[in-house]
Amino acid sequence: MLDDFFLRALVAGVGLAITTGPLGCFIIWRRMAYFGDTISHSALLGVALSLLLQVNLTLAVFVVAAIVSILLLFLQRRQALSADALLGILSHATLAIGLVMVAFMTWVRIDLIAFLFGDILAVTWTDIAMIWGGGILVLAAIAWLWRPLLASTVSSDVAEAEGLRPERARLFFMLLMAVVIAIAMKIVGIMLITSLLIIPAAAARRFAATPETMAVLASLVGAAAVVGGLFGSLRYDTPSGPSIVVAALILFMISLLPFGRRGSARVAQQEGQGS
């Protein structure tokens, strides 16, 4: 029989993987991997503010991630710097400010390793309820935004001409990313969140005939990575968060083997024309 803490970890991890699958597809199609890193790095600043102001950790991380997302959109419209330069500045600045703030709070004892690399084995049933509840809301929002997000990924001008308001869809997408990062931090940690978003989607891409199929397969690959990583962690006594990412990497490498069929041109088009 499996211990209760291990079952909780499985339920939490699978719930997160189901949520990150569709989001990861849009990250790949839109070439926004560095954006995911930026938002995840800002989570440490949210942790520091949570400790300083004594507010809910998840709420603080979401608020900081949302502010960084909105600030990025504002700076991109100013066109003072390129997008990758802005992302680099925000990513490293928020991470550094968070670390400095934590260092100044000498009255607080904090396990930075747990925040950086996660501690899925410590999740509670309350955490699980938040993960699944938040995940359902995120998936519902993605379903609602699916058409404008997909259209603007292919061509923002066409989406604008069709009245789909791509800028609004992009803002909502960034806020959804902030929600997922806030609820995922405890599971895989700040440094590994983007990996769980990107690697399963990249592994699913080869076998997807449509964008919708790729989103579903990405969730399944992510769930398989969670299960495989946790059992590998149990078997070999390795850190659980990194083990999940390694399992996802193994599945990605398997997807590169010369068998089966590649994804259709329509799926490839999303990545080729995404921005």
Side-chain angles (χ1 to χ4, degrees):
M1 289 292 293
L2 297 175
D3 292 325
D4 185 59
F5 73 89
F6 193 82
L7 289 174
R8 292 197 303 269
L10 283 173
V11 173
V14 169
L16 177 63
I18 292 172
T19 306
T20 57
L23 279 174
C25 293
F26 280 106
I27 289 175
I28 287 180
W29 295 334
R30 289 170 167 261
R31 301 178 181 178
M32 294 176 66
Y34 201 11
F35 169 77
D37 272 333
T38 301
I39 300 301
S40 63
H41 287 173
S42 72
L44 188 59
L45 178 56
V47 171
L49 290 174
S50 170
L51 295 172
L52 180 64
L53 303 176
Q54 296 185 346
V55 297
N56 179 267
L57 175 63
T58 303
L59 177 62
V61 171
F62 167 73
V63 169
V64 170
I67 291 173
V68 170
S69 299
I70 295 170
L71 180 61
L72 175 62
L73 283 177
F74 173 76
L75 292 175
Q76 284 181 331
R77 288 182 177 178
R78 294 285 300 273
Q79 296 182 344
L81 290 172
S82 62
D84 60 335
L86 290 173
L87 287 170
I89 292 171
L90 290 174
S91 174
H92 300 300
T94 52
L95 181 62
I97 293 171
L99 288 170
V100 170
M101 287 182 63
V102 169
F104 271 114
M105 289 185 284
T106 55
W107 64 91
V108 175
R109 295 183 62 87
I110 179 174
D111 184 6
L112 277 178
I113 298 299
F115 285 115
L116 292 176
F117 299 104
D119 190 8
I120 190 173
L121 299 179
V123 296
T124 65
W125 288 112
T126 301
D127 295 326
I128 291 172
M130 182 172 59
I131 290 167
W132 278 88
I136 290 171
L137 292 177
V138 168
L139 291 176
I142 292 175
W144 176 56
L145 294 169
W146 185 264
R147 186 165 174 260
L149 279 174
L150 201 60
S152 61
T153 298
V154 176
S155 173
S156 295
D157 292 336
V158 173
E160 187 72 39
E162 294 181 355
L164 296 176
R165 303 179 69 178
E167 282 299 317
R168 186 184 69 171
R170 186 183 183 194
L171 174 60
F172 280 135
F173 175 74
M174 289 181 169
L175 293 178
L176 291 177
M177 282 279 295
V179 172
V180 169
I181 287 171
I183 64 177
M185 184 180 61
K186 191 168 185 177
I187 294 180
V188 290
I190 294 168
M191 305 303 293
L192 305 178
I193 292 172
T194 312
S195 300
L196 193 59
L197 282 162
I198 295 173
I199 298 176
R205 182 179 181 275
R206 182 185 178 195
F207 304 101
T210 65
E212 293 80 7
T213 303
M214 180 172 165
V216 173
L217 287 178
S219 293
L220 295 177
V221 171
V226 168
V227 174
L230 284 175
F231 276 99
S233 174
L234 182 66
R235 173 67 177 82
Y236 298 106
D237 193 25
T238 54
S240 52
S243 297
I244 291 172
V245 177
V246 170
L249 176 62
I250 292 173
L251 293 175
F252 171 71
M253 298 301 293
I254 292 174
S255 76
L256 298 180
L257 295 177
F259 61 84
R261 62 183 181 130
R262 294 188 178 276
S264 69
R266 186 184 174 197
V267 171
Q269 185 184 48
Q270 313 306 321
E271 183 177 352
Q273 297 185 15
S275 58

